Amino acid sequence: PGFKASPPAVTFKLTGETDGIFQIQPDGLLYHNKALDRETRAVHKLQVSTLDAYGATVEGPVPITIEVKDINDNRPTFLQPNYEGSVRQNSRPGKPFMYVNATDLDDPTTPNGQLIYEIIIQLPKINDVMYFQINNKTGAISLTLEGSRELDPIKNPSYRLVVSVKDMGGQNDHSFSDSTSVNIMVKENIWKAPEPVEIVENSTDPHPIKITQVQWNEPGAQYSLVEKEKPSTLPFSIDQEGGIYVTQPLDREEKDSYVFYAVAKDEIGKPLALPLQIRVKVKDINDNPPTCPSAVTVFEVQENEDIGSNIGTFIGHDMDEENTANSVLVYKIVDQIPKLPKEGLFLVQTYSGVVQLAGQSLKKQDTPQYNLTIEVSDKDQFIDINDQIPIFEQSDYGNLTLAEDTAVGSTILTIRATDTDEPFTGSSKILYRIIQGDSEGRLGIDTDPHTNAGYVIIKKPLDFETVAVHNIVFQAENPEPLVSGVNYNTSSSAKFKLIVTDVNEAPQFSQRIYQAKVREDVAVGTKVGNVTAKDPENLDISYSLRDNTRGWLKIDPVTGEIFTTAPLDREAESLYRVQVMATEVGGSSQSSIASFHLTLLDVNDNPPRLAKEYTGLFLCHPLHQEGTLIFEVTDDDQRSFPSPHFSYSLVSESSRNDWEVSRVNGTHAKLSTKHTNFEEGLYSVQSASVMVAGHRWKGIVSLPVTFCTCVEGHCFQPAGHQPGMPTVGMAVGILLTTFLVIGIILAVVFIRIKRMKAKILFESAQASEAQPLRN
């Protein structure tokens, strides 16, 4: 663009973020002298002023904002060249087990910075089927449906993926890309359906009885059981270790098998994997006597019928399992009326029940009708009519006094009735029940199947405060109905008085564990929960806390309300557990304990900080162009993928003159120089990182940047003085001293040698003078 000046202005002046790129001519033409780089500076803020001939400002400065439009000139880059991860076989399809992440310096609000992830290679690739998939926007890697079914650490313990990332939303042929390697270990899945279970029906063992076990791959799962078709009361339970129990005796004739599912969920109630099918078969015992469809079966026979002729078939039934020894029936004629003209006129085939003429042909004038009594039995039981009622051995079992804290499960009395029907049949088996005096079901009666003795046990705790005296009436009955005309009477009942005595009991909490949730930044004094206990003797209760290790909570001793007494900190402890004690006021001061669990919900209360220690940042000196450095920022608050977003600024004015900082993505920033006129040395650049998710938190981070001479792309710095090593001056002094000493020594030696030589010459001259001349 061009600007015009009004007199007395004769020229223009350009200031601001010119970066040596923007200039203005005296006639007002604003231009740039080299290419712009949005990643170096996205917005240039300039000021234009007009000057007179003396350089004084006439107008301005007028602000000018130049926004640099992004082009796709940066390729995306993965944060790691290699990723390592692991997954359990049979994990839920679509549930991420790891992430890959890439960054792109281009504008993320434009297609230039919009990244798309893709798995381009899977090794091995069985039958050309992909076992892994990736969320193309988040980089979340999970199993496909086929992968959930087919992964097996025995067949292939590891897989290698090559993941690519493209910018331009992956829709442009001119997009840039990068790739990374992902190594995935396959771990064995221990979340497996157990083998089918067989349970013998009508077990007399104490229940519950553990029958099988399931286990999730990691600790902390929450287990539950659900039925296959419709919600109902299953006679099974599961504990939080995955143990599965049968809770009561089963009856095969009522239901011969069960199919239900074990479910594992995480702490928020979300299923961790597909449920496991649990199969239970109820194993038969011979606990049912044979029965007949009717009391009387009528056959017709012709006079003079041949001996051996089939008269008819007597049919019996047994409810025990078919095609087993328990349901094989045996037929036998035990009586013939009249026995004329002789006994044994008929026979019955032992296993088929076919009745045949055996002795001789029959004549109507002799006897027009015969009555046969046929016994039908299995290996243990045979048909008997229930024409006798149980009779108690005594009608009054007297009084019994028990303390109200007598243990549940205790046997307190044995009662007995007798029945003269065929032993070990439904006609003689005795069942006892309480028909009066125990409306709350605190007592129960178990029958000994061999002796018909009844054992009165405590099923629920006795309570003096509710009922102090129980006037019990027992009734003895048979599981088989009585024949017509026979009824139970007073001989089948007995009475008993149970007197309950008072015991000073501890207070009772309404629940064993109390739970509450609260934000970690709640004000001191905030009510966070309430506990309630009741004393059976209606004494007052005083509440107190135990294991309040951080002193965060207090409790109102009268109301049980729980308040904060100090600032909470989720980063120090996310689930704060204390024990609450309820103590009687007066009496024997008995007490009981419950747990209070306070979950602290995270708030943005931690300032940003550097994700790692940056000690080796450097730029090569002298700078020939603006230098850039990438750094990562994080904070200690709880978060889920993806990451929080930070904004950045420089703290000091001097830093802003030399440096600028800009956001790359949610967690990374770029530090750039604003000019190239730096001296060699260490610069400490302080940046303020502000978390903008939730309310704002500012953190000051300091980056040490060294400007140094570079050799082959590496910073070359002369070694500094180290402890124990001489400085240069010291080294020179030592060398000079050494040379001086050596010189002195050489001078002394030289002088001594010279003197000795002169002495030798003098002595030689004297000797020649003294010698006489010879001719």
Side-chain angles (χ1 to χ4, degrees):
F3 297 89
K4 292 183 178 181
S6 300
V10 295
T11 189
F12 294 88
K13 178 183 178 182
L14 182 66
T15 57
E17 298 171 338
T18 62
D19 295 348
I21 298 174
F22 291 97
Q23 294 179 346
I24 191 167
Q25 292 181 352
D27 60 359
L29 178 65
L30 179 64
Y31 65 98
H32 60 90
N33 55 30
K34 59 182 176 179
L36 302 178
D37 185 4
R38 190 203 67 86
E39 288 70 46
T40 301
R41 189 186 298 277
V43 177
H44 293 261
K45 293 184 179 181
L46 310 176
Q47 297 87 36
V48 174
S49 304
T50 59
L51 308 178
D52 60 16
Y54 302 100
T57 301
V58 176
E59 289 184 84
V62 176
I64 300 172
T65 300
I66 297 178
E67 295 183 358
V68 182
K69 186 177 179 180
D70 187 43
I71 63 172
N72 190 25
D73 59 345
N74 288 280
R75 61 174 295 191
T77 305
F78 278 102
L79 298 184
Q80 297 177 211
N82 294 284
Y83 287 83
E84 303 285 339
S86 64
V87 63
R88 293 274 184 184
Q89 66 177 139
N90 305 127
S91 292
R92 194 174 74 213
K95 181 180 181 182
F97 61 86
M98 68 177 298
Y99 291 86
V100 295
N101 194 12
T103 60
D104 191 312
L105 296 179
D106 289 318
D107 188 353
T109 63
T110 68
N112 301 332
Q114 292 176 3
L115 306 183
I116 295 295
Y117 298 92
E118 181 184 8
I119 298 175
I120 57 176
I121 296 176
Q122 171 190 295
L123 297 174
K125 192 175 185 182
I126 314 297
N127 297 325
D128 202 34
V129 175
M130 291 297 294
Y131 290 165
F132 302 90
Q133 59 188 349
I134 190 168
N135 185 307
N136 63 359
K137 292 183 173 61
T138 66
I141 298 178
S142 61
L143 294 182
T144 62
L145 182 61
E146 294 80 6
S148 177
R149 292 171 178 169
E150 301 298 334
L151 281 188
D152 187 341
I154 297 177
K155 295 179 181 178
N156 289 295
S158 65
Y159 287 80
R160 178 173 176 264
L161 307 179
V162 176
V163 177
S164 74
V165 61
K166 291 184 178 181
D167 57 17
M168 302 296 292
Q171 302 299 316
N172 193 307
D173 292 337
H174 301 291
S175 60
F176 291 113
S177 66
D178 190 19
S179 63
T180 188
S181 176
V182 181
N183 296 313
I184 300 173
M185 299 295 297
V186 181
K187 296 182 179 180
E188 181 186 5
N189 177 32
I190 58 178
W191 178 246
K192 297 178 180 178
E195 294 294 323
V197 179
E198 279 196 354
I199 301 176
V200 176
E201 66 171 329
N202 296 320
S203 171
T204 58
D205 293 336
H207 285 72
I209 300 172
K210 186 173 182 180
I211 58 172
T212 190
Q213 174 82 36
V214 296
Q215 185 178 350
W216 178 242
N217 296 308
E218 308 295 341
Q222 299 175 0
Y223 300 101
S224 60
L225 298 179
V226 294
E227 197 161 7
K228 178 180 179 182
E229 297 172 353
K230 59 187 178 189
S232 64
T233 303
L234 280 170
F236 303 95
S237 64
I238 188 169
D239 61 25
Q240 289 313 300
E241 281 70 48
I244 299 177
Y245 300 80
V246 58
T247 58
Q248 64 189 51
L250 305 180
D251 186 354
R252 191 204 69 84
E253 287 70 44
E254 179 181 324
K255 191 174 177 67
D256 62 357
S257 65
Y258 295 84
V259 177
F260 53 95
Y261 292 87
V263 179
K265 298 182 178 180
D266 60 20
E267 66 276 2
I268 61 174
K270 189 173 183 180
L272 293 166
L274 296 174
L276 300 181
Q277 188 180 75
I278 311 298
R279 291 184 173 272
V280 176
K281 179 183 178 183
V282 185
K283 190 174 181 181
D284 186 47
I285 63 172
N286 192 16
D287 59 343
N288 289 281
T291 60
C292 295
S294 61
V296 177
T297 301
V298 179
F299 298 139
E300 291 184 357
V301 61
Q302 301 292 324
E303 285 188 308
N304 300 316
E305 189 81 42
D306 292 337
I307 295 174
S309 297
N310 293 347
I311 298 173
T313 302
F314 187 84
I315 298 175
H317 295 286
D318 193 307
M319 292 179 64
D320 290 317
E321 186 173 3
E322 294 182 2
N323 302 317
T324 67
N326 296 334
S327 60
V328 174
L329 301 183
V330 175
Y331 299 89
K332 177 183 178 183
I333 297 175
V334 296
D335 197 10
Q336 170 192 311
I337 300 174
K339 297 178 175 62
L340 296 175
K342 66 176 183 178
E343 195 172 5
L345 293 176
F346 305 91
L347 64 82
V348 62
Q349 291 186 13
T350 303
Y351 293 103
S352 68
V354 174
V355 180
Q356 297 175 297
L357 188 62
Q360 64 183 57
S361 298
L362 304 179
K363 294 182 181 294
K364 185 174 182 179
Q365 65 184 18
D366 292 338
T367 302
Q369 179 176 308
Y370 288 90
N371 292 321
L372 302 178
T373 300
I374 298 179
E375 177 186 275
V376 185
S377 64
D378 57 22
K379 66 175 184 176
D380 296 319
Q381 305 186 21
F382 58 86
I383 296 175
D384 176 49
I385 60 172
N386 189 14
D387 58 355
Q388 301 294 321
I389 64 171
I391 298 175
F392 271 100
E393 292 182 348
Q394 58 189 92
S395 60
D396 190 342
Y397 283 89
N399 302 340
L400 178 64
T401 301
L402 292 176
E404 64 177 330
D405 62 350
T406 302
V408 172
S410 301
T411 300
I412 62 173
L413 181 68
T414 301
I415 58 178
R416 193 184 306 272
T418 57
D419 191 308
T420 57
D421 284 312
E422 187 66 33
F424 306 110
T425 68
S427 300
S428 62
K429 183 179 180 180
I430 297 176
L431 300 178
Y432 300 96
R433 63 189 182 96
I434 297 173
I435 61 174
Q436 184 178 315
D438 185 27
S439 60
E440 295 185 352
R442 298 183 185 275
L443 302 180
I445 307 173
D446 291 338
T447 302
D448 187 320
H450 302 291
T451 66
N452 270 342
Y455 301 104
V456 183
I457 62 173
I458 298 177
K459 289 174 57 180
K460 298 180 182 178
L462 303 176
D463 189 0
F464 170 83
E465 288 75 23
T466 303
V467 180
V469 177
H470 297 264
N471 292 304
I472 305 294
V473 177
F474 303 118
Q475 177 78 21
E477 299 173 347
N478 301 125
E480 288 291 326
L482 296 171
V483 298
S484 178
V486 179
N487 298 299
Y488 296 108
N489 56 37
T490 56
S491 299
S492 298
S493 62
K495 63 180 181 180
F496 163 65
K497 179 181 282 189
L498 175 61
I499 301 169
V500 181
T501 60
D502 189 27
V503 173
N504 187 14
E505 300 167 276
Q508 298 174 356
F509 280 97
S510 59
Q511 57 195 74
R512 188 171 62 88
I513 299 177
Y514 295 83
Q515 299 186 66
K517 295 181 180 180
V518 68
R519 286 167 55 98
E520 63 174 322
D521 63 346
V522 296
V524 173
T526 300
K527 178 182 174 181
V528 295
N530 197 98
V531 299
T532 305
K534 182 179 180 181
D535 184 69
E537 288 75 37
N538 291 321
L539 294 174
D540 291 336
I541 292 174
S542 176
Y543 299 97
S544 59
L545 295 182
R546 298 175 60 183
D547 297 334
N548 187 16
T549 53
R550 295 186 180 274
W552 284 351
L553 302 177
K554 70 175 180 179
I555 190 168
D556 188 304
V558 177
T559 65
E561 295 176 306
I562 299 176
F563 302 88
T564 62
T565 59
L568 308 179
D569 185 1
R570 188 204 67 83
E571 287 68 41
E573 195 159 354
S574 60
L575 179 61
Y576 191 53
R577 299 179 177 91
V578 297
Q579 289 187 326
V580 183
M581 177 180 288
T583 306
E584 294 176 343
V585 178
S588 58
S589 298
Q590 293 208 60
S591 61
S592 57
I593 291 176
S595 295
F596 180 75
H597 295 175
L598 182 62
T599 300
L600 303 185
L601 303 178
D602 190 40
V603 297
N604 185 15
D605 61 346
N606 283 278
R609 61 174 177 80
L610 290 175
K612 61 182 179 180
E613 186 177 359
Y614 289 90
T615 56
L617 299 177
F618 71 92
L619 293 171
C620 294
H621 184 273
L623 282 179
H624 299 293
Q625 60 183 13
E626 288 77 0
T628 60
L629 298 166
I630 302 296
F631 63 95
E632 182 182 0
V633 172
T634 186
D635 73 1
D636 296 317
D637 288 312
Q638 183 183 27
R639 62 179 184 268
S640 58
F641 191 88
S643 302
H645 294 285
F646 299 97
S647 64
Y648 307 88
S649 63
L650 295 171
V651 175
S652 66
E653 182 67 29
S654 59
S655 293
R656 289 195 290 271
N657 292 333
D658 296 333
W659 304 86
E660 64 180 353
V661 63
S662 58
R663 178 177 174 272
V664 174
N665 57 25
T667 57
H668 290 72
K670 180 176 64 174
L671 182 66
S672 306
T673 62
K674 295 178 71 173
H675 57 80
T676 59
N677 300 322
F678 288 87
E679 297 181 0
E680 281 194 84
L682 178 64
Y683 291 76
S684 180
V685 185
Q686 289 189 326
S687 171
S689 301
V690 181
M691 183 174 183
V692 296
H695 58 271
R696 301 168 65 88
W697 272 96
K698 178 180 288 188
I700 305 299
V701 298
S702 181
L703 291 168
V705 182
T706 300
F707 284 85
C708 58
T709 303
C710 290
V711 178
E712 296 182 353
H714 297 283
C715 185
F716 174 77
Q717 293 177 282
H721 174 66
Q722 299 180 10
M725 297 291 292
T727 64
V728 174
M730 293 173 60
V732 172
I734 293 171
L735 285 174
L736 291 176
T737 303
T738 303
F739 291 148
L740 179 61
V741 171
I742 292 173
I744 294 172
I745 293 172
L746 290 174
V748 170
V749 172
F750 178 76
I751 293 171
R752 289 180 62 104
I753 291 174
K754 190 172 183 180
R755 287 179 177 176
M756 289 179 64
K757 187 176 180 180
K759 182 178 180 181
I760 292 170
L761 291 173
F762 177 75
E763 290 177 351
S764 177
Q766 283 185 334
S768 62
E769 286 180 2
Q771 188 173 354
L773 295 174
R774 294 181 181 269
N775 291 328

